[in-house]
Amino acid sequence: MTTTLPTADDLRQQAQDAARRCGVDLDALAGDHFVTSPVNGQPLSSVRWSTGADVDGAVARAVEAFRSWRTVPAPVRGGLVRRFGELLREHKADLGTLVSLEVGKITSEAEGEVQEMIDICEFAVGLSRQLYGRTISSERPGHRLMETWHPLGVVGVISAFNFPAAVWSWNTAIALVCGDPVVWKPSELAPLTAAASAALLDRAIAEEGAPEGLSQVLIGGPDVGEALVDHPGVALLSATGSTRMGRAVGPRVADRFGRSLLELGGNNAAIVTPSADLDLTTRGIVFSAAGTAGQRCTTMRRVIAHVDVIDELTERVAAAYRRLPIGSPVAEGTLVGPLVHGAAYKAMQNALEAAGQQGGELVVGGGRRFEDEAPDAYYAEPAIVRMPEQTDVVRQETFAPILYVLPYRTLEEAIALNNDVPQGLSSSIFTSDQAEAERFLAADGSDCGIANVNIGTSGAEIGGAFGGEKETGGGRESGSDAWRSYMRRATNTINYSGELPLAQGVKFTV
């Protein structure tokens, strides 16, 4: 695909218009820090940063909002989230534009991220009437045991560039119906998306008469994130990012007896068995591995293919890679946009070099596009590398479109390869054999938080809990019962007997 990248003026005007329609004046937001668009490598806007010192005030305002919000009935709290979802629908294209311009997602993926925000609002509205506890049988006559769930407190959210708004919305929609305010530190690479998302929620808060301070955004650098991590007023710290970041965040939150919810690295694999439908498998692999230019935490980074199908499968996927339209993410027909910055491209080249040194064979890709036209933008050709075994570079997560293809002979060997990495986020198997699928999903099968059959590793729906094991951090967000992380549990005993029998048959008479 040949294309001309948009001019800096065109992109700036698009950003101005989209932000304005969401309620953000970029001139009023301007400051000393520049936002660079990966689309052309040029400045998009400037922003004024908060500092770590601003966190105290934000948390104090959130605590004040919590005092009243926690007593509002949960279905009423759900009404605020419903209105927020309606505003997201109205501004889906605007937010999608900002996502594309700031992080380089193609239009369908950028608007798909906003759709996730809409979906989690719908889920949360229903959840607001389903924050269920349990009634438990008591061993004592005339007694009843039950569980109740109560709002937890201030939720701090630190989000990453690759999903600059959706992950915040997962936390925020659930937190709000659970009775919690949110203080958000977005990625430094996507402040305009954050400002626009927060402005829409602020509008919903004002329209619904909810307390000020329920939602706050602090655009800034690492010092803001560190202050949120260490603040004793933050009851739950939800952080999305690298495993290295999680190693720092987890112990610091635990040291102050706070809660942390960590969504960290992924090194996701698909097992392809001899019975797999290779047409379906190829489509599933290409989207999971090349979508978002390989910059999803659920990106497929490994294919573990049976020796009977590995050659044909590799040829099919490589042929699809050669046809992938690479170019401006806001241009019609593009499927692969840019990497977010030069450091990501350098990491990709370093990994490809290491793979070659460790016995890998580059099948396709790895080059760069538009270097002459936009020297500060980094459009990489998604790469496929055949590896004889799972080496050190394969076990590392490289946040770029590199797909390693590994051989296997027995399903037990394939599952062992799937699990033989430090990360444990997402996984899949392509098979037409039900026994193989069930074996993969069993307790001694995939050790990941997400295990799929006949679909790729990316594209999770909000109805299920999202998260992973091992160095992925163990957190769960979004659907299912992930809401419990945002609430505190109380066990209640009610004695209506008129007597005072003790549990376990204890006798204590005075």
Side-chain angles (χ1 to χ4, degrees):
M1 176 181 178
T2 60
T3 186
T4 299
L5 300 181
T7 67
D9 287 343
D10 285 343
L11 294 186
R12 291 189 194 110
Q13 189 61 55
Q14 290 181 48
Q16 285 273 3
D17 292 344
R20 176 179 48 78
R21 287 191 291 265
C22 291
V24 177
D25 181 353
L26 293 190
D27 290 333
L29 195 64
D32 296 334
H33 297 270
F34 287 96
V35 182
T36 298
S37 175
V39 177
N40 60 3
Q42 299 301 307
L44 189 64
S45 183
S46 69
V47 293
R48 181 178 59 256
W49 276 14
S50 300
T51 68
D54 296 318
V55 172
D56 281 342
V59 173
R61 291 187 292 273
V63 169
E64 184 63 28
F66 176 64
R67 292 193 178 103
S68 59
W69 189 242
R70 64 185 172 181
T71 64
V72 174
V76 178
R77 299 194 296 249
L80 167 61
V81 177
R82 178 186 297 109
R83 180 58 183 143
F84 180 43
E86 291 170 351
L87 291 172
L88 288 172
R89 285 188 185 277
E90 293 175 23
H91 295 278
K92 180 176 178 178
D94 295 325
L95 278 180
T97 294
L98 293 172
V99 171
S100 290
L101 299 184
E102 286 196 294
V103 304
K105 286 188 178 181
I106 64 173
T107 299
S108 66
E109 288 194 79
E111 293 191 2
E113 175 165 352
V114 184
Q115 185 62 48
E116 280 195 32
M117 301 171 75
I118 296 165
D119 293 345
I120 196 63
C121 286
E122 291 183 350
F123 180 90
V125 171
L127 178 66
S128 69
R129 295 180 182 271
Q130 301 179 74
L131 300 174
Y132 298 138
R134 293 185 178 96
T135 298
I136 305 162
S137 297
S138 173
E139 67 185 60
R140 290 168 285 184
H143 286 61
R144 176 164 62 88
L145 292 176
M146 68 178 187
E147 289 180 348
T148 50
W149 292 85
H150 301 292
L152 178 65
V154 178
V155 175
V157 177
I158 299 173
S159 60
F161 80 88
N162 60 327
F163 280 87
V167 171
W168 165 74
S169 73
W170 293 356
N171 285 275
T172 298
I174 303 301
L176 288 175
V177 300
C178 288
D180 305 327
V182 176
V183 180
W184 179 24
K185 190 274 177 196
S187 168
E188 300 96 307
L189 301 177
L192 308 186
T193 300
S197 299
L200 293 176
L201 181 51
D202 285 345
R203 178 178 163 187
I205 288 170
E207 291 178 355
E208 295 296 316
E212 294 182 6
L214 269 186
S215 169
Q216 298 173 77
V217 58
L218 297 174
I219 296 169
D223 61 323
V224 175
E226 290 176 7
L228 269 181
V229 167
D230 294 332
H231 203 292
V234 175
L236 172 67
L237 194 286
S238 175
T240 301
S242 67
T243 297
R244 179 183 58 82
M245 181 269 287
R247 289 189 193 281
V249 169
R252 287 169 66 166
V253 176
D255 187 62
R256 61 175 178 81
F257 295 101
R259 294 189 196 178
S260 62
L261 196 166
L262 301 177
E263 296 289 357
L264 310 176
N267 194 345
N268 316 295
I271 295 171
V272 182
T273 72
S275 67
D277 177 337
L278 293 188
D279 286 336
L280 181 149
T281 301
T282 299
R283 295 196 302 274
I285 289 173
V286 172
F287 171 70
S288 288
T292 324
Q295 297 172 118
R296 289 181 180 230
C297 51
T298 54
T299 289
M300 189 183 297
R301 310 206 180 278
R302 298 175 293 145
V303 166
I304 303 165
H306 193 273
V307 292
D308 288 349
V309 298
I310 189 170
D311 290 339
E312 181 181 355
L313 177 68
T314 303
E315 182 179 333
R316 284 171 174 253
V317 177
Y321 268 37
R322 293 186 183 99
R323 297 192 301 269
L324 284 173
I326 302 171
S328 168
V330 294
E332 186 176 353
T334 298
L335 292 182
V336 179
L339 291 171
V340 71
H341 46 42
Y345 181 75
K346 182 177 180 181
M348 179 179 179
Q349 297 309 305
N350 289 343
L352 290 174
E353 181 180 355
Q357 294 169 350
Q358 295 171 24
E361 175 191 353
L362 180 65
V363 177
V364 68
R368 185 177 168 191
R369 303 277 184 92
F370 309 111
E371 186 173 4
D372 293 337
E373 181 180 345
D376 295 318
Y378 294 86
Y379 289 82
E381 298 171 346
I384 300 172
V385 182
R386 286 280 294 264
M387 299 295 294
E389 59 184 347
Q390 191 150 267
T391 63
D392 289 343
V393 71
V394 180
R395 291 187 179 91
Q396 299 168 3
E397 180 190 31
T398 301
F399 222 59
I402 302 175
L403 180 65
Y404 300 108
V405 181
L406 304 157
Y408 83 91
R409 293 185 179 276
T410 68
L411 186 59
E412 289 72 21
E413 177 190 1
I415 292 173
L417 285 170
N418 177 80
N419 297 347
D420 185 29
V421 293
Q423 310 84 359
L425 179 53
S426 187
S427 59
S428 67
I429 187 170
F430 288 90
T431 180
S432 296
D433 185 322
Q434 183 175 353
E436 289 179 328
E438 296 292 343
R439 175 71 181 83
F440 178 72
L441 301 176
D444 57 350
S446 170
D447 64 359
C448 296
I450 299 170
N452 298 329
V453 177
N454 289 331
I455 63 170
T457 55
S458 60
E461 298 182 30
I462 59 92
F466 181 89
E469 302 301 323
K470 302 188 295 189
E471 290 189 0
T472 301
R476 292 296 185 274
E477 294 175 322
S478 192
S480 186
D481 64 350
W483 62 269
R484 294 171 183 245
S485 295
Y486 304 84
M487 304 197 81
R488 62 178 179 87
R489 182 197 323 236
T491 300
N492 313 129
T493 304
I494 299 105
N495 177 7
Y496 58 91
S497 69
E499 304 294 334
L500 195 63
L502 301 178
Q504 296 87 44
V506 173
K507 304 295 184 182
F508 195 88
T509 303
V510 294

